[in-house]
Amino acid sequence: MHAPVAPPLPPGEFPPLAVWDFAGLMLTYWCNARCAFCYVTRAPSTPLRPKCPSPMHLGWWRELAELAAAHGQPLRVHLAGGEPFRDWVRLVALIRAARDAGLPPIDKIETNASWATDDGVTRTRLELLSALGLQQLVISSDVFHQEFVPFERVRRCVQFARRVFGRRA
């Protein structure tokens, strides 16, 4: 049995668009890894670091939040890159600016954990992000990333993320 097919719309009419309740914002294209599969085309030697927090980031964030709210849905925001933790000052500045502007908090940040070089740095950064409203951390770990990121950094990041955010991190 086949799924029912919707009747064609009259000329000039369009079906309603789905409302986004989840948005991914790229903080930077810069990354310390050069994974074979990655869509980020900038290598570490040619960083592209947009100024953050930028009016563009905050403007998109606000517009998406307003669109979701108009349809009775909360907006979830995912920050990614490149590697967003490689420019820690800008990452924190963007999250603080969004919070100060009354925007929804960050749902999650994606990282390869290359920055998790010791326990103190890792714990302090994750605790600050939690205090700023971050819900969870997504850690990219696979054979491609581990060519560039020592696995002990991934392990450290996972251990502290679970302490700070709980088992979902």
Side-chain angles (χ1 to χ4, degrees), residues 62-135:
R62 180 175 312 288
E63 288 179 27
L64 290 167
E66 290 170 358
L67 180 62
H71 289 85
Q73 298 176 0
L75 175 69
R76 295 176 301 140
V77 176
H78 169 189
L79 286 182
E83 175 51 57
F85 278 79
R86 297 301 285 188
D87 200 338
W88 174 248
V89 172
R90 287 188 176 149
L91 173 61
V92 172
L94 176 64
I95 295 169
R96 282 187 172 139
R99 180 197 61 192
D100 294 348
L103 297 173
I106 298 291
D107 180 60
K108 61 185 170 184
I109 297 176
E110 188 170 346
T111 181
N112 65 22
S114 60
W115 55 272
T117 56
D118 66 58
D119 291 357
V121 167
T122 307
R123 183 187 67 252
T124 301
R125 287 184 174 188
L126 296 180
E127 287 174 349
L128 175 57
L129 291 175
S130 178
L132 291 172
L134 180 65
Q135 301 297 307

Side-chain angles (χ1 to χ4, degrees), residues 2-10 13-16:
H2 296 286
V5 176
L9 294 171
E13 288 190 30
F14 301 96

